[in-house]
Amino acid sequence: MSDVILSVQDLTAEVDGNPILKGFNLEIKAGEIHAIMGPNGSGKSTFSKILAGHPAYTVTGGEIVFLGQNLLELEPDDRAKSGVFLAFQYPLEIPGVSNVDFLRVSYNAKRKHEGLEELDAFDFDEVVQSKVTLLKMDPSFLSRSVNEGFSGGEKKRNEILQMALLEPRLGILDEIDSGLDIDALKVVAGSVNALKKPENATLIITHYQRLLNYILPDVIHVMADGRILMSGDKDLALELEAKGYDWVLEGEAVGA
Amino acid sequence: MTIESIPVESTLSDVGNLGGTTKVNRADYLLGLLSLRGELPSELGRLQERRDRAFSLVHDRAIPTTRDEEWRFTDLSDLLRLQFQTRLPSEIGFPQLEDFLLPESTNSRLVFVDGVFAPALSAVDDLPDGVLVGNLVAGAELVPALPAYLANQPGGDEVFTALNTASFTDGAIAWVPKNSVVEAPIHLLFVSTTEALSHPRCLVVAQAGSCVTLIEEYVSLSEGRYFTNSVTEIYVEENAEVRHTRVQRDSVSAFHIGKTAVSQARDSRYTCTAVSLGAKLARHHLEIYQTGEQTDTTLNGLTLVDGDRVGDTHSLIALSQPYGTANQVNKTVVRDRAHAVFNGKVWVPKAAQMTNAAQLSRNLLLSPKARVDTKPQLEITADNVKCAHGATVSQLEDDEVFYLQSRGIPADQARKLLTYAFAIDVIDRISVSSLRDTLTRLIRVQTS
Ligand SMILES: Nc1ncnc2c1ncn2[C@@H]1O[C@H](COP(=O)(O)OP(=O)(O)O)[C@@H](O)[C@H]1O
Ligand SMILES: [Mg+2]
């Protein structure tokens, strides 16, 4: 068995007839942390939402293989159950659905999929409380509606809480660092690092280099206009920080 | 009184154009209902004049048509297919009531079976001195002031209200004297067992400084096509408080037209949580009449309809004094080919300065054929007031469904979770925990 977790080949996709991904390639192996950087509007969030199965995006070509299966054939909930987790750039507010009920239903969907017994509210509470403590979250988050009235940072932490509960094979973190102060950033980075296991992988999407001081990626990709233009090791992030994205974009223009 | 249904085919030739609006048939039908009225109990003799007035009012009227502005969206044609007869009430016992009894109201419960008071199933004990909870006729003897209240609210000329006033025999009275605090919720349980016509009547008087919790509940032991035409009058006197929960869990073949008329005196507080789950056609008239300043009114409504059922709320908040506060939220969940109606009038005349009123109508349509008609109707002539209103008609948000799916929750379960969340928020406001639990269970079933 290969240790490839995700393999994306020549992916093209559009929304409302506008092409956004224009031949996207990526391979992530078990135990690796990858980062995709790139200017606003280059299609990073689009790619992450396509992985999660968002219905607004149409894949027009290429393939995505996740753990040996064709990911595009799976419903969003089946993708989640087989181990894909996306921490959204803009987590949705869902008034009326209590956060703890939501977390329990989601946790139990996963357990059911794995042939494990579902946990009742009481037993689940124990599981969730320990994660809440780990993430230094205010326990009152649990009784509130999902993300309703949460600050930007609180929403991001709630996403990480969900990831900690679901223990995905591939965690995709879309701009998890935006809106976080430095203390919150350290907590979030700490829990991402704590979740790292040899059989799992993480994909970090960001346009700031700051996060990469706390989560060290094995591979960094630079994305622009729907494609990966350049890949390298962590030094690439520093070079980007110093020279800006224009440097890569210009290089591309010359090379093309 | 019981009902017989006429097979539709023969009915059509017998009575003419049923689906239409032929005045004479609708008048005849109403006369037929009126002819089944009971005698006014002799103890209530002093109300005979009011009763006669209601009788002559109904006598000259007809069942409304959809050309009638107040009934534009709710078609009563199907009601005309049902015929009723006088019949003795059914004998039922505690085993049949098991699902409906509330432990909080073990000693503060009145039960009516097909509109008839059932003393053996009722229990009233341990209430504070001077509190009277019982059948209306008992109230007549013990409370000489009764005529000042019974059938004395504005809006009594509305045809179904008048039909009730002309017809009722039994009914509930809850009389709470000055400064009395009734801890136990008073449970008024109206049980339908058969295809009967009934006119439940309730009178609640909370005198100055008193406080009472009222649960008015309509349930069914059968899937019968009965017709319940209820009227509840509530008087909240100075600085008194009434917390009212009205639950309509009728048979899905039944017709229910109900009126709640509330008078609020100075500094009084009234909360109504109205939950409408059953009936083929349910219509609730909820009317608040402010008689003194600085009243506080909270109205929460929830209607769930599916199949081809109709759920209709027509409310009126009639302010007339300064410093009043009114908050209203009406929610509907509509499936299949069902139809929900909300019409919310708020009157804020010149005299009602410094009023703070908010009304929100939120409607969730769960199928392409589901329908909702919602109409906020604010009439504001006072200038120094805060009044807000809004109405939303929506489907479940695709983004919300997707967010839940992305956490492993299948789409249909996600939709149920979101629908449940929309509805349960109204139930959560009910303070009586056993009732809240029962309704939570029912909502869970109806949203799954
Ligand atoms: N749902 C959508 N509808 C219309 N356009 C979209 C939608 N999502 C993304 N786009 C467009 O696709 C492009 C890429 O956006 P996005 O994937 O959010 O980029 P990034 O995350 O790299 O900033 C942008 O031009 C954006 O306007
Ligand atoms: Mg983005």
Side-chain angles (χ1 to χ4, degrees), chain A residues 100-119:
Chain A
V100 71
D101 286 352
F102 158 62
L103 294 170
R104 192 182 66 244
V105 172
S106 155
Y107 185 74
N108 277 333
K110 178 93 192 286
R111 282 183 71 93
K112 197 173 159 192
H113 178 77
E114 289 166 351
L116 297 169
E117 209 178 315
E118 299 182 29
L119 296 192

Side-chain angles (χ1 to χ4, degrees), chain A residues 44-45 89 174-175:
Chain A
K44 303 183 298 295
S45 293
Q89 179 173 6
D174 191 0
E175 310 278 359

Side-chain angles (χ1 to χ4, degrees), chain A residues 54 77 80 86 96 106 109 159 162, chain B residues 399 402-405 407-408 410 421:
Chain A
H54 195 292
D77 49 302
L86 169 60
S106 155
E159 296 286 287
Q162 293 165 38
Chain B
D399 273 341
F402 172 67
Y403 187 75
L404 297 177
Q405 269 189 291
R407 300 306 182 237

Side-chain angles (χ1 to χ4, degrees), chain B residues 228-240:
Chain B
T228 298
N229 178 45
S230 66
V231 173
T232 295
E233 292 177 276
I234 299 176
Y235 293 84
V236 198
E237 305 204 315
E238 271 194 37
N239 202 30

Side-chain angles (χ1 to χ4, degrees), chain A:
Chain A
M1 217 187 104
S2 113
D3 60 350
V4 175
I5 299 245
L6 181 75
S7 161
V8 181
Q9 260 167 35
D10 294 326
L11 189 68
T12 54
E14 58 180 44
V15 58
D16 298 336
N18 301 317
I20 297 176
L21 298 188
K22 303 168 181 173
F24 184 98
N25 293 285
L26 181 67
E27 184 172 285
I28 301 179
K29 295 205 173 82
E32 291 180 343
I33 296 181
H34 286 233
I36 298 180
M37 303 184 73
N40 264 331
S42 51
K44 303 183 298 295
S45 293
T46 299
F47 173 62
S48 71
K49 285 196 252 180
I50 284 172
L51 288 180
H54 195 292
Y57 302 89
T58 313
V59 172
T60 49
E63 62 168 19
I64 304 178
V65 178
F66 174 72
L67 296 174
Q69 52 183 340
N70 178 0
L71 192 68
L72 295 172
E73 276 178 352
L74 300 182
E75 288 296 313
D77 49 302
D78 292 324
R79 298 183 191 196
K81 282 180 284 204
S82 27
V84 174
F85 181 93
L86 169 60
F88 289 89
Q89 179 173 6
Y90 303 108
L92 207 70
E93 300 192 4
I94 311 186
V97 176
S98 108
N99 206 20
V100 71
D101 286 352
F102 158 62
L103 294 170
R104 192 182 66 244
V105 172
S106 155
Y107 185 74
N108 277 333
K110 178 93 192 286
R111 282 183 71 93
K112 197 173 159 192
H113 178 77
E114 289 166 351
L116 297 169
E117 209 178 315
E118 299 182 29
L119 296 192
D120 63 19
F122 188 78
D123 288 339
F124 178 71
D125 196 54
E126 216 165 279
V127 175
V128 77
Q129 289 296 349
S130 70
K131 307 278 184 197
V132 162
T133 313
L134 207 70
L135 286 166
K136 302 197 170 69
M137 289 173 73
D138 181 341
S140 74
F141 281 141
L142 292 173
S143 53
R144 286 158 65 185
S145 290
V146 178
N147 294 331
E148 196 185 23
F150 287 24
S151 72
E154 288 169 341
K155 284 181 185 168
K156 296 293 167 104
R157 263 194 255 192
N158 204 27
E159 296 286 287
I160 297 297
L161 172 64
Q162 293 165 38
M163 186 165 95
L165 281 168
L166 296 177
E167 297 178 343
R169 295 296 304 279
L170 174 64
I172 306 144
L173 310 174
D174 191 0
E175 310 278 359
I176 197 71
D177 51 334
S178 56
L180 290 188
D181 62 34
I182 194 71
D183 294 328
L185 181 71
K186 283 181 188 164
V187 170
V188 165
S191 48
V192 171
N193 289 328
L195 289 171
K196 185 174 171 171
K197 286 184 185 162
E199 67 272 25
N200 295 344
T202 306
L203 175 61
I204 293 161
I205 295 172
T206 181
H207 59 265
Y208 301 114
Q209 188 267 338
R210 184 182 69 152
L211 177 67
L212 306 182
N213 293 335
Y214 299 94
I215 306 174
L216 295 180
D218 301 293
V219 189
I220 292 176
H221 310 272
V222 182
M223 181 174 184
D225 194 24
R227 254 173 301 187
I228 301 276
L229 298 186
M230 185 184 279
S231 303
D233 62 13
K234 62 183 187 328
D235 295 338
L236 183 56
L238 298 172
E239 210 165 346
L240 283 171
E241 183 85 349
K243 301 187 186 169
Y245 288 115
D246 289 347
W247 156 68
V248 185
L249 301 183
E250 280 160 20
E252 164 74 2
V254 172

